[in-house]
Amino acid sequence: MADFAEIGNTSEVVAEDVWIPLVDEPIGSIVSQLQSENPDVDALISSPGRILAFRTFAYIRVGVLLGRLLVDNDVPAYDGTETWVESLLREERHRAAVVAELRAVAAEIAADPRYADGEQIGPDDDTRARFREFAKKQLG
């Protein structure tokens, strides 16, 4: 019979201790970069609840996709200049596959009624128009 590993006391671990490293990891950076390059994704996930759900599922699904791409494609041996992820994403077809996965996640989150009642982040178009008129009157 194998010995069991002893599990230490985790009661003092707070959510921030776990969340921060996940966000700072390469997957989070990749998702953020590609999301910023594709504003159509942001348009679908404009509420705090949708953003949280999107990031959660996008990190998982992009990670799985990148793992699958790694298994299915040869990457050069690591020489210290770029990671296997960077090597994969240099190829347009792989980058397009990751962006398509991000769009699919965003579309699924946008269509899910559980996230429909979230408040939009930032002003809506009417508020922006009113502000422009106000600024024009105030500034001249």
Side-chain angles (χ1 to χ4, degrees):
M1 178 185 260
D3 291 332
F4 291 98
E6 185 175 320
I7 298 175
N9 181 358
T10 59
S11 63
E12 294 182 26
V13 175
V14 292
E16 289 81 18
D17 294 336
V18 176
W19 180 250
I20 299 299
L22 293 176
V23 173
D24 290 341
E25 293 299 320
I27 300 293
S29 299
I30 292 164
V31 169
S32 294
Q33 177 186 349
L34 295 176
Q35 181 182 352
S36 70
E37 294 171 4
N38 295 278
D40 57 312
V41 171
D42 277 335
L44 293 171
I45 54 164
S46 61
S47 71
R50 284 184 173 156
I51 290 170
L52 179 60
F54 169 78
R55 288 184 182 159
T56 300
F57 294 114
Y59 292 177
I60 293 167
R61 287 173 51 177
V62 166
V64 169
L65 175 59
L66 288 171
R68 190 173 3 160
L69 290 172
L70 176 63
V71 170
D72 293 344
N73 297 274
D74 291 328
V75 293
Y78 182 68
D79 62 2
T81 59
E82 70 179 1
T83 65
W84 62 269
V85 173
E86 293 166 334
S87 176
L88 284 171
L89 292 179
R90 247 188 313 111
E91 290 192 41
E92 186 55 38
R93 65 189 172 112
H94 298 318
R95 187 178 191 84
V98 173
V99 170
E101 191 68 26
L102 288 178
R103 286 188 175 120
V105 172
E108 290 169 21
I109 296 299
D112 192 324
R114 293 176 289 185
Y115 306 109
D117 59 350
E119 186 177 310
Q120 179 176 338
I121 294 178
D124 60 17
D125 291 337
D126 291 337
T127 303
R128 287 184 180 154
R130 286 193 310 273
F131 178 77
R132 282 190 202 103
E133 287 301 315
F134 170 78
K136 285 179 187 175
K137 289 177 186 174
Q138 295 298 315
L139 299 175

PDB file of all heavy atoms in Angstrom, residues 84-100:
ATOM      1  N   TRP A  84       7.763  27.611 -26.344  1.00  0.00           N
ATOM      2  CA  TRP A  84       7.031  26.810 -27.322  1.00  0.00           C
ATOM      3  C   TRP A  84       5.727  27.498 -27.707  1.00  0.00           C
ATOM      4  O   TRP A  84       5.276  27.399 -28.842  1.00  0.00           O
ATOM      5  CB  TRP A  84       6.795  25.389 -26.811  1.00  0.00           C
ATOM      6  CG  TRP A  84       5.978  25.275 -25.570  1.00  0.00           C
ATOM      7  CD1 TRP A  84       6.425  25.259 -24.281  1.00  0.00           C
ATOM      8  CD2 TRP A  84       4.552  25.138 -25.474  1.00  0.00           C
ATOM      9  NE1 TRP A  84       5.385  25.135 -23.400  1.00  0.00           N
ATOM     10  CE2 TRP A  84       4.215  25.050 -24.107  1.00  0.00           C
ATOM     11  CE3 TRP A  84       3.536  25.080 -26.418  1.00  0.00           C
ATOM     12  CZ2 TRP A  84       2.910  24.920 -23.661  1.00  0.00           C
ATOM     13  CZ3 TRP A  84       2.221  24.939 -25.972  1.00  0.00           C
ATOM     14  CH2 TRP A  84       1.931  24.859 -24.604  1.00  0.00           C
ATOM     15  N   VAL A  85       5.137  28.239 -26.763  1.00  0.00           N
ATOM     16  CA  VAL A  85       3.890  28.944 -27.068  1.00  0.00           C
ATOM     17  C   VAL A  85       4.163  30.049 -28.082  1.00  0.00           C
ATOM     18  O   VAL A  85       3.437  30.194 -29.072  1.00  0.00           O
ATOM     19  CB  VAL A  85       3.260  29.520 -25.780  1.00  0.00           C
ATOM     20  CG1 VAL A  85       2.067  30.404 -26.103  1.00  0.00           C
ATOM     21  CG2 VAL A  85       2.859  28.413 -24.829  1.00  0.00           C
ATOM     22  N   GLU A  86       5.214  30.821 -27.854  1.00  0.00           N
ATOM     23  CA  GLU A  86       5.563  31.877 -28.803  1.00  0.00           C
ATOM     24  C   GLU A  86       5.867  31.290 -30.179  1.00  0.00           C
ATOM     25  O   GLU A  86       5.470  31.854 -31.204  1.00  0.00           O
ATOM     26  CB  GLU A  86       6.769  32.667 -28.281  1.00  0.00           C
ATOM     27  CG  GLU A  86       6.461  33.471 -27.039  1.00  0.00           C
ATOM     28  CD  GLU A  86       7.707  33.971 -26.324  1.00  0.00           C
ATOM     29  OE1 GLU A  86       8.781  33.341 -26.452  1.00  0.00           O
ATOM     30  OE2 GLU A  86       7.583  34.988 -25.626  1.00  0.00           O
ATOM     31  N   SER A  87       6.546  30.168 -30.179  1.00  0.00           N
ATOM     32  CA  SER A  87       6.868  29.491 -31.439  1.00  0.00           C
ATOM     33  C   SER A  87       5.597  29.079 -32.176  1.00  0.00           C
ATOM     34  O   SER A  87       5.473  29.283 -33.386  1.00  0.00           O
ATOM     35  CB  SER A  87       7.745  28.275 -31.155  1.00  0.00           C
ATOM     36  OG  SER A  87       8.004  27.552 -32.323  1.00  0.00           O
ATOM     37  N   LEU A  88       4.648  28.517 -31.451  1.00  0.00           N
ATOM     38  CA  LEU A  88       3.384  28.114 -32.077  1.00  0.00           C
ATOM     39  C   LEU A  88       2.609  29.318 -32.593  1.00  0.00           C
ATOM     40  O   LEU A  88       2.065  29.299 -33.702  1.00  0.00           O
ATOM     41  CB  LEU A  88       2.527  27.328 -31.089  1.00  0.00           C
ATOM     42  CG  LEU A  88       2.919  25.885 -30.817  1.00  0.00           C
ATOM     43  CD1 LEU A  88       2.109  25.323 -29.657  1.00  0.00           C
ATOM     44  CD2 LEU A  88       2.731  25.023 -32.061  1.00  0.00           C
ATOM     45  N   LEU A  89       2.543  30.372 -31.787  1.00  0.00           N
ATOM     46  CA  LEU A  89       1.732  31.532 -32.158  1.00  0.00           C
ATOM     47  C   LEU A  89       2.349  32.369 -33.267  1.00  0.00           C
ATOM     48  O   LEU A  89       1.680  33.232 -33.841  1.00  0.00           O
ATOM     49  CB  LEU A  89       1.439  32.396 -30.927  1.00  0.00           C
ATOM     50  CG  LEU A  89       0.520  31.755 -29.898  1.00  0.00           C
ATOM     51  CD1 LEU A  89       0.313  32.685 -28.714  1.00  0.00           C
ATOM     52  CD2 LEU A  89      -0.816  31.360 -30.506  1.00  0.00           C
ATOM     53  N   ARG A  90       3.593  32.129 -33.602  1.00  0.00           N
ATOM     54  CA  ARG A  90       4.209  32.793 -34.748  1.00  0.00           C
ATOM     55  C   ARG A  90       3.556  32.350 -36.050  1.00  0.00           C
ATOM     56  O   ARG A  90       3.498  33.093 -37.016  1.00  0.00           O
ATOM     57  CB  ARG A  90       5.710  32.481 -34.802  1.00  0.00           C
ATOM     58  CG  ARG A  90       6.579  33.655 -34.543  1.00  0.00           C
ATOM     59  CD  ARG A  90       8.050  33.431 -34.769  1.00  0.00           C
ATOM     60  NE  ARG A  90       8.609  32.228 -34.182  1.00  0.00           N
ATOM     61  CZ  ARG A  90       9.044  31.179 -34.867  1.00  0.00           C
ATOM     62  NH1 ARG A  90       8.993  31.185 -36.179  1.00  0.00           N
ATOM     63  NH2 ARG A  90       9.541  30.126 -34.266  1.00  0.00           N
ATOM     64  N   GLU A  91       3.069  31.116 -36.063  1.00  0.00           N
ATOM     65  CA  GLU A  91       2.373  30.612 -37.249  1.00  0.00           C
ATOM     66  C   GLU A  91       0.942  31.140 -37.255  1.00  0.00           C
ATOM     67  O   GLU A  91       0.188  30.944 -36.296  1.00  0.00           O
ATOM     68  CB  GLU A  91       2.375  29.084 -37.262  1.00  0.00           C
ATOM     69  CG  GLU A  91       3.733  28.488 -37.520  1.00  0.00           C
ATOM     70  CD  GLU A  91       3.644  27.004 -37.807  1.00  0.00           C
ATOM     71  OE1 GLU A  91       2.717  26.577 -38.534  1.00  0.00           O
ATOM     72  OE2 GLU A  91       4.508  26.277 -37.298  1.00  0.00           O
ATOM     73  N   GLU A  92       0.597  31.785 -38.346  1.00  0.00           N
ATOM     74  CA  GLU A  92      -0.706  32.437 -38.441  1.00  0.00           C
ATOM     75  C   GLU A  92      -1.880  31.473 -38.224  1.00  0.00           C
ATOM     76  O   GLU A  92      -2.871  31.822 -37.606  1.00  0.00           O
ATOM     77  CB  GLU A  92      -0.850  33.151 -39.786  1.00  0.00           C
ATOM     78  CG  GLU A  92      -2.117  33.977 -39.912  1.00  0.00           C
ATOM     79  CD  GLU A  92      -2.285  35.010 -38.801  1.00  0.00           C
ATOM     80  OE1 GLU A  92      -1.296  35.619 -38.370  1.00  0.00           O
ATOM     81  OE2 GLU A  92      -3.437  35.192 -38.358  1.00  0.00           O
ATOM     82  N   ARG A  93      -1.767  30.250 -38.714  1.00  0.00           N
ATOM     83  CA  ARG A  93      -2.893  29.305 -38.565  1.00  0.00           C
ATOM     84  C   ARG A  93      -3.125  28.954 -37.099  1.00  0.00           C
ATOM     85  O   ARG A  93      -4.262  28.786 -36.665  1.00  0.00           O
ATOM     86  CB  ARG A  93      -2.682  28.056 -39.403  1.00  0.00           C
ATOM     87  CG  ARG A  93      -1.503  27.209 -38.985  1.00  0.00           C
ATOM     88  CD  ARG A  93      -1.219  26.090 -39.996  1.00  0.00           C
ATOM     89  NE  ARG A  93       0.015  25.425 -39.655  1.00  0.00           N
ATOM     90  CZ  ARG A  93       0.084  24.185 -39.214  1.00  0.00           C
ATOM     91  NH1 ARG A  93      -1.016  23.456 -39.095  1.00  0.00           N
ATOM     92  NH2 ARG A  93       1.244  23.657 -38.912  1.00  0.00           N
ATOM     93  N   HIS A  94      -2.058  28.879 -36.306  1.00  0.00           N
ATOM     94  CA  HIS A  94      -2.213  28.587 -34.882  1.00  0.00           C
ATOM     95  C   HIS A  94      -2.784  29.800 -34.143  1.00  0.00           C
ATOM     96  O   HIS A  94      -3.667  29.668 -33.301  1.00  0.00           O
ATOM     97  CB  HIS A  94      -0.887  28.177 -34.251  1.00  0.00           C
ATOM     98  CG  HIS A  94      -0.304  26.930 -34.836  1.00  0.00           C
ATOM     99  ND1 HIS A  94      -1.052  25.815 -35.142  1.00  0.00           N
ATOM    100  CD2 HIS A  94       0.970  26.624 -35.172  1.00  0.00           C
ATOM    101  CE1 HIS A  94      -0.272  24.883 -35.647  1.00  0.00           C
ATOM    102  NE2 HIS A  94       0.977  25.336 -35.681  1.00  0.00           N
ATOM    103  N   ARG A  95      -2.269  30.960 -34.487  1.00  0.00           N
ATOM    104  CA  ARG A  95      -2.768  32.196 -33.878  1.00  0.00           C
ATOM    105  C   ARG A  95      -4.257  32.366 -34.206  1.00  0.00           C
ATOM    106  O   ARG A  95      -5.055  32.701 -33.342  1.00  0.00           O
ATOM    107  CB  ARG A  95      -1.949  33.374 -34.383  1.00  0.00           C
ATOM    108  CG  ARG A  95      -2.258  34.682 -33.706  1.00  0.00           C
ATOM    109  CD  ARG A  95      -1.329  35.779 -34.255  1.00  0.00           C
ATOM    110  NE  ARG A  95      -1.403  36.966 -33.465  1.00  0.00           N
ATOM    111  CZ  ARG A  95      -0.718  37.186 -32.362  1.00  0.00           C
ATOM    112  NH1 ARG A  95       0.116  36.285 -31.909  1.00  0.00           N
ATOM    113  NH2 ARG A  95      -0.861  38.305 -31.687  1.00  0.00           N
ATOM    114  N   ALA A  96      -4.624  32.106 -35.448  1.00  0.00           N
ATOM    115  CA  ALA A  96      -6.028  32.214 -35.861  1.00  0.00           C
ATOM    116  C   ALA A  96      -6.901  31.212 -35.098  1.00  0.00           C
ATOM    117  O   ALA A  96      -8.041  31.527 -34.739  1.00  0.00           O
ATOM    118  CB  ALA A  96      -6.153  31.999 -37.361  1.00  0.00           C
ATOM    119  N   ALA A  97      -6.379  30.026 -34.842  1.00  0.00           N
ATOM    120  CA  ALA A  97      -7.138  29.016 -34.089  1.00  0.00           C
ATOM    121  C   ALA A  97      -7.387  29.486 -32.653  1.00  0.00           C
ATOM    122  O   ALA A  97      -8.474  29.302 -32.111  1.00  0.00           O
ATOM    123  CB  ALA A  97      -6.402  27.679 -34.092  1.00  0.00           C
ATOM    124  N   VAL A  98      -6.384  30.121 -32.055  1.00  0.00           N
ATOM    125  CA  VAL A  98      -6.540  30.625 -30.684  1.00  0.00           C
ATOM    126  C   VAL A  98      -7.536  31.781 -30.663  1.00  0.00           C
ATOM    127  O   VAL A  98      -8.411  31.840 -29.790  1.00  0.00           O
ATOM    128  CB  VAL A  98      -5.178  31.033 -30.073  1.00  0.00           C
ATOM    129  CG1 VAL A  98      -5.368  31.704 -28.722  1.00  0.00           C
ATOM    130  CG2 VAL A  98      -4.267  29.813 -29.938  1.00  0.00           C
ATOM    131  N   VAL A  99      -7.444  32.683 -31.625  1.00  0.00           N
ATOM    132  CA  VAL A  99      -8.400  33.796 -31.700  1.00  0.00           C
ATOM    133  C   VAL A  99      -9.816  33.260 -31.934  1.00  0.00           C
ATOM    134  O   VAL A  99     -10.779  33.738 -31.323  1.00  0.00           O
ATOM    135  CB  VAL A  99      -7.994  34.805 -32.797  1.00  0.00           C
ATOM    136  CG1 VAL A  99      -9.099  35.833 -33.049  1.00  0.00           C
ATOM    137  CG2 VAL A  99      -6.699  35.510 -32.409  1.00  0.00           C
ATOM    138  N   ALA A 100      -9.964  32.263 -32.773  1.00  0.00           N
ATOM    139  CA  ALA A 100     -11.285  31.657 -33.004  1.00  0.00           C
ATOM    140  C   ALA A 100     -11.833  31.057 -31.718  1.00  0.00           C
ATOM    141  O   ALA A 100     -13.038  31.157 -31.441  1.00  0.00           O
ATOM    142  CB  ALA A 100     -11.197  30.595 -34.101  1.00  0.00           C
TER     143      ALA A 100
END
